[in-house]
Amino acid sequence: MPKDACCRAAALCGKTLERPFFTDSEVHLMQVAVCSALGIDSAWALESFELTPYKFNLLESLALRMDDPDVAVCKVLRRGAPTGVREPIPASGVWPPCSGKWGDEVAEACDLFWCTSNHISAEQEPAKVRALVQKEVDLGYLVHIAGGMSAVQQRFPDGSLAIGKLGLVTCAGKEDRLIGDSRASGASPAARFLERAEVPSLFLFTAALNRFAAWRGVAVDPKEWVLFSVDIKGAHKSIRTAAEDVGFSVFSLEGEFYAYVVNHFGAAWSAYWWSRLSALLLRTIHFLVRHRHLGAVYVDDFLFLLPRGAFAMLVVLVLAILQILAVPLSWRKLALGSELTYLGWQLSLHSGFWASLPESKQAKVLRELAWWRLHPRRVPRKKLSQLLGFLLWATQVRLALRAFLAPLFIKLNKPGSRLQCLSLGQLEELAMILGDGLVVQSAAARSDIQKGWRLRAVGGKTVDCVINARRLLQQPRTITGKIWVRFSAWTPCVDLDPVSLSSLHTLQRVLCTNSFSWAGERVAEDAAADAWAGSALSGIGGWFRALESNKLFWFHLEIEQGQLPDLWLWPEKMQAAICALELLAQLALVLARAKVDGNAQLHCARLRQYGDNMPVVAACSKGMSTALPLCFALMALAFAALELQVALELSHVAGERNEEADLLSRLNHPEAKPWPLVMRAKFPEANRVRITLADVLDDLVPPHLSCLVRGRVNEYLQKRLDNPVFHSRLYVNEEEQWLGIKAEKARKPFPLLLFFPVDNSRSSESSKKGLARLRRILDQLALEQDAGWIPTRWAQFYTVIASSDWRPFVTLEELLGVQCGRRSGGVDFKGSALRDQLPGSPAVVLDPQWLLEAMAQVVGCPRVMQKGELSRELLHKLWDKEKFHGQEATLRAFLEHFSLLVPVAGSTLSSPSHWLVPSLLPKRRSGPAQSDQVAQAALFFDFHGALRQLLPSLLPRLFGRLQLKHETLRGKMLCQETLVFDIAK
């Protein structure tokens, strides 16, 4: 190796190469030295093979010395790579096995076709395609077959010929590329592989760095590392195709026929064989580079993380290995430094392990997501498959994002439904062509039933076996002579459901941030969760150790079957969905840790938690599942991780070593045993974290609904603030207001609850200033009153809200006990006026945010959103937070006053057991014009600080008026308007 190699490598930082790093003479000297070290003949080891540059003999010797599991790949590629069309390609043993079949719809696609035309992209640019084809011929990749179709058929006999379609890919800033589409000819679908090749993602670097940090015992510092990427030039075409399989790579252009003698871009076997070869090259580098480093290869792009103290030496070793094996490198794309572009992502190590999309690619991703959200109907499956491929690339930086692809994969792989109204003769024909598995074996002659359709129902009765199906078909019960039959078939188009659209919106919202941590998170360990389930009752529980105090905390949550959202498609028995419940336990554990440790402590942390359910661990490791209801639980867990900006690493632990979490989950088990003394001492009641079902399921509410409703509320309030009519209400005497509604009072008492639109918690400087501003405004308005009477609600402000102790509300009796006196302007306060002003009101609200958050728990509960019904038990769980303890009766009285909760008829008025939530009751559609607004019927308000700056005195009125039917009554309500202050001025 040259003496100045390390100096030359250090000079590569931030630069590109125009020529190979090592010269040909330097490479030859190193090749001879390696052969001598291995004890093999250099002439045999450095032998070249036709149509491929690699030194397969030398690579095979290295693989044998490493005891590599895939030594056979060198022997296969020496003579040419088979396509897998004639016979299945044996597995290498490196990747997971697979059957090679992807569903019933592939069975017909295994036939080979002779395409007579090319793709539109190639037909529109014949000159470019002709030039690219000639270039491929000059390089030896393509061979021209003279003599027309007869010569092609003579060279490739029956069963060994497939003519595909050429395509042209153009991209700004890149060279035009020719693609040979072998899927159109049926060759790619006919190729059979006994294993499924896998490629890594950026988030996998996190696990590797965490293992390295655990081994060192010190957190990983991004400043200690350097990024190094290597791109292979013409990777697929550097592998020769087996001579007997060249006929499966034939294409035509302007009446002339060409055949690829190498693996071309666009064939299934091309990607498979290069994946095997690149994986062997990476393992060889790992074996020979005996220094700490991280490396991965995605198709033909290698990425390495090298320690800064030795990066120059390691770069030299990697390049030397690749050049010794004659791997064709794209020297202009070689990159080295603290930041580079890899797979379209901009990676940086300056202030952490961060990744971001270039502005052009981010705009493309967001544009695609926005287009699909606006066009959810009649989506071609082919385009949906292309979208998923694009999103798999866009979500590789965060594993949690993969969970939101599950609804799209379900739509892609779920057959559509076909209805046929068949006569007696057509039913008899269907019974004859119906085969095993209820699959139609051949197309019907008397009806439109096609081969491959699967029978699902006959006359509204679901069929589950061929015997029952034929009995219903041969002995139908019909009066008109016809009967409806339902099939499942692979329709060319699908419709995206609301769940899919919500997933697209979540991806769009997350990708707008365009800043992701792809490695190096701080690890928080010592946490476990578990779940149990019966027929209609289940429980989840777990424990964790706090980051700062190092104390053990625990939680338990009881879940009934009726409390879970119907959208999840829960089975009849909860035990059948134990995996989904296990994921909810892990979600509750994450939320409990966030409550104790705080979001700031958990920011960009990797939470390592344990569970004893292996399918759940596998689903979390994969990041996605299409099984119901597991996929919804995984989406809820992923959404919480994205909101808290944490990464979850779930590890498996045997059940016998997870007894503590199991006991914590079984506190509500019918046969639960008393805790042993050791458990009571280890998990005291004081360290219990209160988790409600609303906490666990709140994240399932689509965030775009919250944004939509909040925007409408803001617009409504802004119009009111800009209207001087409402401001004039400030100068109307309270007694005159009362006379205006006196007649209406006899029919229905009005809830005259009082609201002060300020934050009276005194928790910040702004809240203190807000109180002072409001008091100055009241003083000024009182002095301007001609009658000299200060309105009653202003008097209550002076006497109560100025107290030093913060309280969310005060009772009416407490207000009546306030001594009356004189205030500025020489105005008297009278207690009798207060009694008249508050007939039947339970209290005066001093903190509107407290009441609004209580209502938010009700409105945001998925179970309530489905039917608009609320039970006492569910309400008790929704208000389980500390700020609502002991105030449930008062809160119910408040919300009933505003008609936000309406007791169900038949319940005891003094102590009702069920309520209706009017704002969430299902709405009747009045016509086709409202069909696009169905999803907006479920209103969800996020009151956690977002509306604190608005005027809460108007918001409850907005809710209450949802129940008013007459415009006259609405006009009378205007006289009750509470104070409207622009305290920002």
Side-chain angles (χ1 to χ4, degrees):
M1 186 175 296
K3 295 181 180 180
D4 62 341
C6 290
C7 296
R8 288 154 53 184
L12 290 178
C13 291
K15 299 180 181 179
T16 58
L17 280 176
E18 298 294 334
R19 58 182 182 273
F21 185 81
F22 293 107
T23 63
D24 293 341
S25 59
E26 292 172 341
V27 172
H28 181 72
L29 291 175
M30 289 187 293
Q31 288 174 336
V32 173
V34 171
C35 293
S36 177
L38 293 175
I40 58 177
D41 181 45
S42 60
W44 172 83
L46 301 179
E47 181 182 358
S48 299
F49 300 93
E50 185 180 5
L51 299 176
T52 183
Y54 303 102
K55 306 300 180 183
F56 284 119
N57 290 342
L58 180 56
L59 182 58
E60 181 182 8
S61 300
L62 290 171
L64 289 170
R65 184 63 60 90
M66 297 186 304
D67 196 18
D68 193 84
D70 194 16
V71 179
V73 67
C74 299
K75 298 179 180 179
V76 174
L77 298 184
R78 271 201 299 258
R79 60 175 299 274
T83 60
V85 177
R86 298 177 182 273
E87 59 182 3
I89 298 176
S92 65
V94 177
W95 294 309
C98 67
S99 61
K101 294 292 183 181
W102 302 280
D104 297 334
E105 78 278 9
V106 183
E108 292 188 30
C110 292
D111 298 331
L112 302 179
F113 304 100
W114 299 349
C115 299
T116 58
S117 61
N118 293 317
H119 286 295
I120 297 179
S121 59
E123 297 286 353
Q124 294 177 345
E125 300 285 350
K128 289 184 179 180
V129 174
R130 194 182 309 112
L132 291 174
V133 168
Q134 186 59 44
K135 182 179 180 181
E136 301 276 79
V137 172
D138 296 338
L139 293 174
Y141 300 152
L142 270 175
V143 293
H144 177 243
I145 304 176
M149 188 63 185
S150 58
V152 173
Q153 293 177 329
Q154 183 178 1
R155 180 171 178 177
F156 306 108
D158 294 340
S160 62
L161 176 62
I163 303 178
K165 293 185 176 182
L166 292 175
L168 181 65
V169 176
T170 58
C171 183
K174 295 183 179 180
E175 296 181 356
D176 297 335
R177 184 167 56 178
L178 190 67
I179 293 181
D181 184 6
S182 293
R183 176 171 289 273
S185 65
S188 286
R192 292 164 293 173
F193 311 101
L194 300 184
E195 61 183 351
R196 183 179 64 256
E198 295 181 341
V199 291
S201 298
L202 288 176
F203 56 75
L204 294 179
F205 274 89
T206 305
L209 283 173
N210 288 337
R211 288 196 300 268
F212 175 73
W215 172 72
R216 286 186 63 188
V218 182
V220 178
D221 186 359
K223 297 179 181 179
E224 298 178 357
W225 297 88
V226 175
L227 294 166
F228 179 47
S229 67
V230 179
D231 183 83
I232 310 301
K233 185 177 181 179
H236 290 172
K237 296 175 183 177
S238 64
I239 298 177
R240 176 190 176 188
T241 304
E244 62 273 16
D245 287 349
V246 172
F248 301 122
S249 303
V250 176
F251 301 91
S252 64
L253 178 64
E254 298 177 346
E256 300 292 333
F257 293 89
Y258 302 86
Y260 271 105
V261 293
V262 296
N263 288 356
H264 63 280
F265 189 77
W269 56 87
S270 300
Y272 171 78
W273 284 113
W274 170 249
S275 296
R276 283 184 63 172
L277 180 58
S278 63
L280 177 57
L281 292 174
L282 182 62
R283 293 193 298 271
T284 303
I285 293 174
H286 286 327
F287 180 80
L288 296 177
V289 177
R290 298 303 180 95
H291 196 281
R292 68 176 189 269
H293 69 281
L294 298 177
V297 57
Y298 187 98
V299 189
D300 57 351
D301 292 293
F302 288 81
L303 177 64
F304 296 94
L305 268 175
L306 308 175
R308 184 172 295 274
F311 80 93
M313 177 188 64
L314 299 182
V315 168
V316 171
L317 287 176
V318 171
L319 294 179
I321 294 170
L322 295 176
Q323 284 196 259
I324 287 173
L325 296 174
V327 179
L329 302 181
S330 180
W331 296 105
R332 291 185 178 180
K333 296 182 180 180
L334 187 143
L336 176 67
S338 297
E339 57 181 10
L340 53 80
T341 300
Y342 179 72
L343 301 180
W345 288 88
Q346 294 177 344
L347 308 183
S348 175
L349 302 180
H350 288 301
S351 58
F353 296 89
W354 294 101
S356 61
L357 284 170
E359 293 184 1
S360 59
K361 291 187 178 294
Q362 183 194 20
K364 180 180 179 181
V365 173
L366 298 180
R367 186 168 58 250
E368 284 285 330
L369 293 173
W371 189 92
W372 282 88
R373 289 181 59 203
L374 294 175
H375 303 82
R377 306 297 301 273
R378 305 291 298 171
V379 176
R381 289 182 187 268
K382 184 177 180 181
K383 290 187 176 181
L384 181 58
S385 178
Q386 294 173 353
L387 172 68
L388 283 169
F390 182 62
L391 292 180
L392 283 173
W393 164 80
T395 57
Q396 67 172 309
V397 72
R398 293 288 292 187
L399 180 62
L401 294 174
R402 291 285 172 87
F404 300 97
L405 302 184
L408 300 176
F409 274 105
I410 292 175
K411 277 295 179 182
L412 177 66
N413 298 317
K414 182 179 180 180
S417 181
R418 291 290 183 92
L419 284 174
Q420 295 286 324
C421 188
L422 304 181
S423 62
L424 297 179
Q426 293 171 333
L427 291 173
E428 182 179 356
E429 181 189 22
L430 174 59
M432 296 176 60
I433 62 177
L434 192 65
D436 296 337
L438 300 175
V439 178
V440 178
Q441 300 298 315
S442 60
R446 301 178 183 178
S447 61
D448 191 36
I449 300 174
Q450 301 298 316
K451 178 182 177 182
W453 288 15
R454 190 185 298 273
L455 182 63
R456 293 300 184 188
V458 178
K461 295 183 178 181
T462 304
V463 294
D464 53 1
C465 66
V466 178
I467 298 176
N468 293 338
R470 287 177 176 169
R471 178 176 56 82
L472 292 174
L473 292 173
Q474 294 170 356
Q475 301 176 0
R477 295 183 178 181
T478 175
I479 299 177
T480 61
K482 290 188 176 183
I483 195 170
W484 285 99
V485 181
R486 181 167 58 88
F487 300 87
S488 62
W490 291 96
T491 56
C493 298
V494 297
D495 293 335
L496 299 184
D497 53 11
V499 178
S500 301
L501 296 178
S502 179
S503 297
L504 292 176
H505 180 269
T506 301
L507 292 174
Q508 186 179 18
R509 184 170 65 90
V510 174
L511 292 175
C512 279
T513 60
N514 199 20
S515 182
F516 305 93
S517 175
W518 56 279
E521 290 102 337
R522 179 168 47 89
V523 179
E525 298 184 290
D526 290 341
D530 203 357
W532 77 273
S535 298
L537 182 66
S538 66
I540 60 176
W543 60 269
F544 65 95
R545 190 176 297 276
L547 291 177
E548 289 188 351
S549 62
N550 206 32
K551 292 182 180 179
L552 280 178
F553 290 86
W554 64 280
F555 74 93
H556 170 78
L557 176 61
E558 178 182 306
I559 302 177
E560 299 177 2
Q561 189 174 27
Q563 296 174 345
L564 296 170
D566 297 336
L567 178 65
W568 287 28
L569 301 179
W570 289 88
E572 295 182 359
K573 295 184 178 181
M574 298 185 71
Q575 177 62 36
I578 187 62
C579 290
L581 293 172
E582 292 270 5
L583 273 180
L584 288 183
Q586 297 295 335
L587 171 57
L589 180 56
V590 171
L591 299 177
R593 299 177 79 167
K595 283 190 174 183
V596 174
D597 294 326
N599 294 354
Q601 289 289 334
L602 296 181
H603 181 72
C604 290
R606 173 164 292 271
L607 306 182
R608 183 170 295 165
Q609 301 178 177
Y610 294 92
D612 55 15
N613 191 306
M614 183 57 76
V616 172
V617 176
C620 288
S621 300
K622 185 180 178 181
M624 181 175 57
S625 174
T626 56
L628 299 175
L630 184 62
C631 81
F632 289 103
L634 191 58
M635 290 170 62
L637 181 60
F639 191 85
L642 292 173
E643 288 293 308
L644 297 173
Q645 297 189 28
V646 298
L648 178 62
E649 181 179 319
L650 187 59
S651 301
H652 180 262
V653 61
E656 57 268 18
R657 290 187 291 275
N658 198 34
E659 292 182 353
E660 294 177 342
D662 181 64
L663 288 175
L664 293 173
S665 68
R666 294 180 180 270
L667 292 181
N668 64 326
H669 195 279
E671 301 178 359
K673 298 179 180 180
W675 275 17
L677 294 178
V678 177
M679 285 287 293
R680 294 181 181 179
K682 192 173 184 179
F683 302 106
E685 184 67 24
N687 289 356
R688 180 176 181 178
V689 182
R690 300 288 178 179
I691 294 291
T692 66
L693 190 61
D695 294 331
V696 176
L697 298 181
D698 261 350
D699 292 332
L700 300 180
V701 180
H704 65 280
L705 291 182
S706 174
C707 298
L708 177 64
V709 174
R710 187 183 298 115
R712 291 183 176 179
V713 172
N714 290 345
E715 182 181 359
Y716 176 79
L717 294 178
Q718 191 61 43
K719 290 181 179 179
R720 294 172 63 86
L721 292 176
D722 294 339
N723 192 341
V725 176
F726 297 110
H727 289 283
S728 66
R729 297 291 176 185
L730 296 175
Y731 303 96
V732 178
N733 191 278
E734 294 281 347
E735 294 183 357
E736 295 178 1
Q737 294 183 12
W738 177 246
L739 292 175
I741 62 173
K742 191 173 183 179
E744 187 66 27
K745 175 182 176 296
R747 185 168 57 196
K748 179 182 178 182
F750 279 94
L752 296 180
L753 300 179
L754 305 183
F755 287 85
F756 294 94
V758 294
D759 177 13
N760 64 302
S761 62
R762 296 181 177 87
S763 58
S764 62
E765 292 296 329
S766 60
S767 63
K768 297 177 182 179
K769 294 179 180 179
L771 289 171
R773 290 174 181 172
L774 180 57
R775 186 162 185 166
R776 285 196 300 268
I777 294 175
L778 294 177
D779 287 337
Q780 183 65 29
L781 291 176
L783 293 175
E784 295 176 359
Q785 294 294 321
D786 296 333
W789 289 99
I790 295 181
T792 307
R793 65 191 70 190
W794 301 359
Q796 293 156 0
F797 168 79
Y798 281 110
T799 56
V800 180
I801 203 173
S803 62
S804 58
D805 297 332
W806 175 84
R807 289 172 293 173
F809 70 95
V810 293
T811 62
L812 179 62
E813 290 76 10
E814 184 179 359
L815 285 176
L816 294 177
V818 176
Q819 294 294 329
C820 300
R822 301 182 62 83
R823 297 295 300 173
S824 60
V827 184
D828 293 331
F829 299 151
K830 295 183 178 181
S832 59
L834 182 60
R835 290 190 182 92
D836 293 336
Q837 285 291 326
L838 299 172
S841 296
V844 176
V845 177
L846 300 182
D847 183 15
Q849 186 71 16
W850 175 74
L851 178 60
L852 296 180
E853 289 184 4
M855 188 58 193
Q857 297 295 323
V858 176
V859 179
C861 178
R863 183 184 173 188
V864 180
M865 292 176 65
Q866 292 175 5
K867 300 179 180 180
E869 300 176 0
L870 181 64
S871 64
R872 177 186 291 273
E873 293 77 12
L874 180 58
L875 187 62
H876 179 70
K877 294 177 180 179
L878 292 176
W879 289 344
D880 193 34
K881 293 185 177 181
E882 183 177 356
K883 64 174 64 177
F884 304 135
H885 281 176
Q887 311 298 341
E888 185 173 335
T890 303
L891 286 172
R892 290 203 311 265
F894 282 153
L895 300 182
E896 290 177 9
H897 267 293
F898 285 110
S899 298
L900 297 176
L901 297 182
V902 179
V904 177
S907 300
T908 305
L909 294 179
S910 60
S911 180
S913 59
H914 288 80
W915 294 267
L916 295 179
V917 184
S919 61
L920 298 183
L921 289 175
K923 293 185 178 181
R924 180 180 178 182
R925 302 183 188 180
S926 59
Q930 298 183 1
S931 60
D932 295 337
Q933 302 177 2
V934 176
Q936 301 170 8
L939 303 180
F940 172 71
F941 287 84
D942 181 9
F943 293 106
H944 299 285
L947 298 178
R948 184 172 292 276
Q949 300 303 322
L950 298 177
L951 296 180
S953 60
L954 299 179
L955 200 53
R957 300 292 184 182
L958 177 61
F959 273 121
R961 287 177 183 172
L962 293 175
Q963 305 303 308
L964 300 182
K965 299 181 180 180
H966 306 288
E967 187 65 25
T968 56
L969 179 60
R970 180 178 181 275
K972 295 178 181 179
M973 289 280 292
L974 291 179
C975 64
Q976 298 182 77
E977 293 303 325
T978 53
L979 292 176
V980 180
F981 296 109
D982 186 4
I983 61 176
K985 299 180 180 179

